[in-house]
Amino acid sequence: MGADIHGFVECRATYGTLDEDKARWHAAIDLDLLYGGRSYDAFGCLFGVRNHAGFRPLAGDRGIPADVSPQTRQAYEEWAPDGHSPSWISWAELATVDWDEPADAVDERVHEYTRTPDRGWVRTGKSFRGRQRPEGAEWTEGGRLFRVVRMVRRDAVPEDGEWAPVWKAMSALADVHGGENVRLVVWFDN
């Protein structure tokens, strides 16, 4: 059974509001409008969910923030009891991530590659078979190349990959309101 991610980019406005509203979080955009993928590498790297690649999660098991926006809270509660692993991360935190940081462990899955005439070996998948081999092991079988690797964060969340629209939206809000006033609040389902 697969896991999907849900949530909202939230923002605290820093202008044009009453003082009491400045401290209040607002659901700025539904994550489903920015991200439609299912990348377990990204889920593991960011939040520790389906973390087969062995990353130290950037924001694992933080729960739903106590001051979460009403819209986000309602959406999360509608997933009960199937929603799990809620967490959040601010743009200020994401802006300081070392995307070249290696995972703490070797990926549990073996990376599979197929040779193409114009691009050479291209990764076409991952599997759990053959994982008893050591880090760096590489072999061919049936015209495919297999490698046991340790990923870096950039491998899990490529700058120009599926998460780019999320980062662009968060960055735009942070340009106006500051990175500490923009966060991504998420949860998962199976």
Side-chain angles (χ1 to χ4, degrees):
M1 182 178 290
D4 293 309
I5 191 170
H6 308 278
F8 285 84
V9 173
E10 291 192 329
C11 184
R12 285 189 294 215
T14 57
Y15 64 86
T17 61
L18 301 173
D19 286 341
E20 63 267 12
D21 284 340
K22 286 185 180 179
R24 195 170 65 110
W25 288 93
H26 302 271
I29 189 164
D30 190 322
L31 182 60
D32 288 344
L33 297 173
L34 299 170
Y35 178 80
R38 183 189 275 178
S39 171
Y40 293 156
D41 291 335
F43 296 173
C45 173
L46 297 169
F47 303 107
V49 173
R50 303 283 173 109
N51 194 7
H52 304 297
F55 287 103
R56 176 189 53 79
L58 295 174
D61 299 320
R62 289 183 170 177
I64 291 291
D67 58 355
V68 72
S69 71
Q71 184 179 355
T72 302
R73 180 172 301 286
Q74 179 182 352
Y76 173 66
E77 289 174 353
E78 287 174 2
W79 276 99
D82 298 322
H84 64 84
S85 306
S87 198
W88 61 274
I89 190 166
S90 72
W91 181 251
E93 291 172 288
L94 285 165
T96 64
V97 170
D98 175 4
W99 294 103
D100 293 316
E101 178 185 358
D104 289 343
V106 173
D107 195 334
E108 294 173 359
R109 301 149 305 171
V110 175
H111 295 222
E112 300 178 18
Y113 300 81
T114 303
R115 185 182 295 277
T116 63
D118 55 334
R119 294 175 39 215
W121 292 107
V122 175
R123 193 177 77 193
T124 53
K126 297 180 184 185
S127 72
F128 288 98
R129 56 178 268 215
R131 183 49 198 95
Q132 68 279 7
R133 298 179 191 224
E135 180 177 359
E138 184 174 289
W139 67 98
T140 56
E141 185 179 305
R144 292 179 295 166
L145 174 67
F146 296 89
R147 290 184 179 145
V148 178
V149 302
R150 182 181 307 259
M151 296 177 68
V152 298
R153 292 193 187 280
R154 185 178 315 285
D155 297 332
V157 188
E159 186 175 342
D160 59 350
E162 294 176 314
W163 283 87
V166 179
W167 305 151
K168 286 177 185 173
M170 292 180 75
S171 177
L173 288 168
D175 286 347
V176 176
H177 302 287
E180 67 282 354
N181 292 309
V182 178
R183 68 185 177 194
L184 176 61
V185 179
V186 301
W187 59 92
F188 297 83
D189 75 74
N190 290 338

